[in-house]
Amino acid sequence: LQADSDGLKDAQASAAGEKLSFAVTPTSMMATAFGVPADRVATFAVQLQLTEAEACMESAPLQDALRETLDDLVQQGISPYHTLQVTTLTVNKGDVACSRRSLARKPLALSSATADVTMLVVFKEGAESQINVARLAEAPGVLSIAPLAVSPKVNTDAAAHTVLKTPAPEASGSSSSSVGLIAGICGGVAGLVIVGGGALVYLRSKSNAPEVMSVV
């Protein structure tokens, strides 16, 4: 095995005179974790309005809270899916002052604070994958939503009045092997192990915190 001198931008190996390159992305890792084609994984840029309490939360619990919020908001406008995750988070606190007095007054009121997140959805195979983007855009607290990486296999143009089938919950234990992978993609670091000409992708989460790009 010989590493490039520039620091291994992609994991590469030389075996029997051939140079092998491995490109690993969150989309490909999530597709592998749930055993679906990469074209069933879609990402969206979503801007959310935060309450004062949310604006003052630490990044890890805020990431969890926003994932649960988005998961609730899409329920009546999405085809069956495996998981919905928030993979990046940027918070702008606006004029929110995180003092006990201000939080005691109106902790649940929507504020000037916003969060820009990347929402990643892993759809199940079978029928056409759909998500009602128009309905989600009209939900309380959602300021905007735009597709980032969405394949033609995922329909984002479902009519706003269409109510899609609510996805069935995952069977307990059916995705236990994917938990560490999801945590790694959303908040940890990925590694690549080259074994005898093959590649095993593993993820190790240093913490549960998401990748916070900036807090203003």
Side-chain angles (χ1 to χ4, degrees), residues 105-210:
R105 287 199 309 268
K106 46 182 180 179
L108 301 180
L110 290 175
S111 68
S112 61
T114 60
D116 291 285
V117 306
T118 299
M119 179 180 76
L120 181 148
V121 183
V122 182
F123 290 93
K124 293 185 176 181
E125 284 193 275
E128 181 185 41
S129 299
Q130 301 182 58
I131 181 169
N132 195 325
V133 171
R135 172 169 292 190
L136 181 57
E138 295 173 353
V142 177
L143 300 178
S144 66
I145 176 171
L148 287 177
V150 181
S151 81
K153 291 290 183 70
V154 178
N155 178 14
T156 62
D157 296 326
H161 65 275
T162 301
V163 177
L164 304 177
K165 181 181 178 181
T166 301
E170 293 286 315
S172 59
S174 62
S175 59
S176 58
S177 61
S178 304
V179 173
L181 188 58
I182 295 171
I185 292 171
C186 298
V189 289
L192 188 67
V193 179
I194 312 236
V195 182
L200 298 177
V201 176
Y202 74 93
L203 291 168
R204 177 168 53 87
S205 177
K206 286 186 174 180
S207 70
N208 291 324

Side-chain angles (χ1 to χ4, degrees), residues 18-169:
E18 286 189 34
K19 191 176 185 181
L20 305 177
S21 297
F22 302 91
V24 180
T25 66
T27 294
S28 64
M29 286 188 287
M30 292 295 276
T32 299
F34 290 95
V36 300
D39 59 16
R40 294 298 178 126
V41 181
T43 56
F44 302 84
V46 185
Q47 185 176 68
L48 300 168
Q49 189 175 7
L50 302 179
T51 65
E52 291 201 358
E54 289 172 334
C56 297
M57 292 172 67
E58 295 293 330
S59 57
L62 178 58
Q63 180 194 29
D64 290 339
L66 296 182
R67 184 197 64 77
E68 291 177 2
T69 295
L70 289 169
D71 206 39
D72 288 340
L73 292 177
V74 303
Q75 286 306 304
Q76 295 304 313
I78 194 167
S79 58
Y81 63 101
H82 288 286
T83 188
L84 181 152
Q85 297 293 325
V86 169
T87 59
T88 67
L89 171 65
T90 303
V91 175
N92 185 328
K93 291 186 177 181
D95 59 5
V96 173
C98 295
S99 64
R100 290 184 179 180
R101 178 176 298 179
S102 62
L103 292 179
R105 287 199 309 268
K106 46 182 180 179
L108 301 180
L110 290 175
S111 68
S112 61
T114 60
D116 291 285
V117 306
T118 299
M119 179 180 76
L120 181 148
V121 183
V122 182
F123 290 93
K124 293 185 176 181
E125 284 193 275
E128 181 185 41
S129 299
Q130 301 182 58
I131 181 169
N132 195 325
V133 171
R135 172 169 292 190
L136 181 57
E138 295 173 353
V142 177
L143 300 178
S144 66
I145 176 171
L148 287 177
V150 181
S151 81
K153 291 290 183 70
V154 178
N155 178 14
T156 62
D157 296 326
H161 65 275
T162 301
V163 177
L164 304 177
K165 181 181 178 181
T166 301

